[in-house]
Amino acid sequence: MPVISVPQEFNEEELYVGLEGIFGHPLFLKCEGFNFAGSIKLKAATEMVEAAERDGLLTADSVIVESSSGNLGVALSMIAAGKGYRFVCVTDSRCNPSTRLLMEALGSEVHVISKPADVGGLLGARIARVRALCASDDRCVWLNQYANPHNGIAHYRRTAPAIAQQFPDLDVLFVGAGTTGTLMGCARYFRQWHRPVRVVAVDTAGSVTFGGRPGRRMIPGLGTSMRPPLLDESLVDDVVSVKEADTIRACHRLARRGFLFGGSTGTVVSGAVSWLERHGHQDLTAVAIAPDLGERYLETIYQTNWVHDLYGDDVPASEHATAALRAA
């Protein structure tokens, strides 16, 4: 079997971008999109696969099966290809087209769910498909990113210590909430640190993660239609909910300054800025985690027709003028 070895820190240069000149608040953005898989999900994928191998759950003829909105699917596609496993990703109709094509280019099989379940929406329908696949073939192994403790462990071991080393005087950390693996791993680490750090979860409007009412969510990445089993709210100091129109505004504002980030990053930045407007002060050391870059969103949040069809006048034309010029 071919073997792929992923180093502890993925040979990944720690890159931080200061956003005070763009948004007027002291905020550093930890950019996680510069590894081979293009997102922070490479850490969780590596940790979960290696744990499954140590536990004997994965063997030479195993088929890895996972539900993903996109980025974890790409990371697992890369790892599975390198290690010689088959991989089946169950996603839904909100998955960016380029993300789906990338998984297929890496040799993965992609199932796209378009009909939501009566309970749990599209995520519930995806998980039902995963369970059906596992029931039909005993070679299938579901890593289950939503409940797998190694999802959070990856960030307890890698993401949080890297931030602590770079920012020993950290005051507040903003983390997007999807499966809540990144959020829980970082929160547990900083609960044990030598100084208090406020951990602020950034969720998307329409998500039920923190008890909100379910609503339409068209940007993949953050938010859930089912409460994540990994979530321990006692570790979270505050929660900010961000409307998708504000996510798009943040992404385009960053792009006009030369930074092309993904939808999850736009949500985290928007939430962080709104929190800092209410609670921040100039000597506060604040860091936000940017999960991915923006190339996979060129056909969605950076495309004028897509934005206008879904959000209409909620996003002023000036917010996506650059995309309009590109589409003309």
Side-chain angles (χ1 to χ4, degrees):
M1 177 188 298
V3 176
I4 182 171
S5 176
V6 183
Q8 181 77 0
E9 295 298 335
F10 311 108
N11 285 336
E12 170 187 1
E13 182 178 356
E14 293 293 331
L15 178 60
Y16 296 83
V17 174
L19 300 183
E20 185 171 5
I22 302 176
F23 293 97
H25 296 280
L27 177 65
F28 291 94
L29 195 60
K30 186 180 191 304
C31 305
E32 292 279 352
F34 293 98
N35 56 54
F36 281 113
S39 81
I40 196 171
K41 288 293 188 178
L42 180 58
K43 296 177 181 179
T46 301
E47 192 78 33
M48 290 190 295
V49 168
E50 291 181 350
E53 290 176 330
R54 289 194 302 269
D55 294 342
L57 299 176
L58 287 175
T59 59
D61 63 344
S62 292
V63 179
I64 299 173
V65 181
E66 187 56 86
S67 161
S68 170
S69 61
N71 283 335
L72 182 73
V74 172
L76 286 173
S77 294
M78 187 193 78
I79 293 171
K83 287 178 173 285
Y85 297 117
R86 282 183 56 204
F87 172 53
V88 179
C89 180
V90 180
T91 188
D92 61 57
S93 52
R94 297 170 299 185
C95 180
N96 295 320
S98 59
T99 300
R100 176 177 56 80
L101 292 172
L102 180 54
M103 288 189 281
E104 292 174 341
L106 289 164
S108 299
E109 180 181 333
V110 182
H111 294 203
V112 180
I113 302 298
S114 57
K115 183 178 180 180
D118 293 335
V119 177
L122 286 169
L123 176 57
R126 279 162 36 189
I127 291 176
R129 174 68 63 87
V130 168
R131 294 186 188 279
L133 289 169
C134 291
S136 68
D137 189 339
D138 59 11
R139 296 174 301 169
C140 291
V141 177
W142 180 24
L143 297 176
N144 192 359
Q145 64 163 326
Y146 310 102
N148 192 322
H150 293 280
N151 183 350
I153 288 170
H155 304 288
Y156 180 90
R157 291 178 175 174
R158 298 179 178 135
T159 308
I163 294 171
Q165 182 177 9
Q166 186 72 24
F167 296 92
D169 57 347
L170 181 67
D171 294 304
V172 58
L173 177 66
F174 299 96
V175 188
T179 64
T180 69
T182 307
L183 176 64
M184 291 294 96
C186 291
R188 286 193 170 91
Y189 180 89
F190 283 110
R191 278 292 183 272
Q192 303 166 4
W193 209 34
H194 70 277
R195 58 172 286 148
V197 173
R198 291 186 65 85
V199 176
V200 179
V202 182
D203 199 9
T204 184
S207 167
V208 306
T209 299
F210 294 95
R213 297 186 61 180
R216 185 187 75 165
R217 292 180 295 110
M218 300 305 298
I219 300 174
L222 300 184
T224 61
S225 52
M226 300 172 63
R227 181 183 170 89
L230 292 175
L231 177 62
D232 179 353
E233 288 188 66
S234 70
L235 298 175
V236 179
D237 296 298
D238 205 352
V239 178
V240 180
S241 180
V242 176
K243 295 180 180 179
E244 288 191 330
D246 291 327
T247 291
I248 296 169
R249 290 187 183 97
C251 285
H252 284 278
R253 191 167 178 181
L254 287 162
R256 290 198 303 273
R257 298 298 292 271
F259 301 111
L260 192 71
F261 284 109
S264 296
T265 298
T267 301
V268 173
V269 169
S270 179
V273 170
S274 67
W275 190 94
L276 289 169
E277 287 175 348
R278 298 191 304 274
H279 306 285
H281 46 83
Q282 288 305 114
D283 60 351
L284 195 71
T285 300
V287 174
I289 297 176
D292 60 0
L293 301 179
E295 291 91 340
R296 297 172 192 173
Y297 296 82
L298 292 176
E299 297 175 80
T300 54
I301 63 177
Y302 292 105
Q303 210 285 323
T304 303
N305 292 337
W306 188 90
V307 172
H308 185 268
D309 289 347
L310 289 174
Y311 305 98
D313 294 334
D314 285 347
V315 181
S318 60
E319 298 292 342
H320 47 92
T322 301
L325 290 173
R326 181 166 51 244

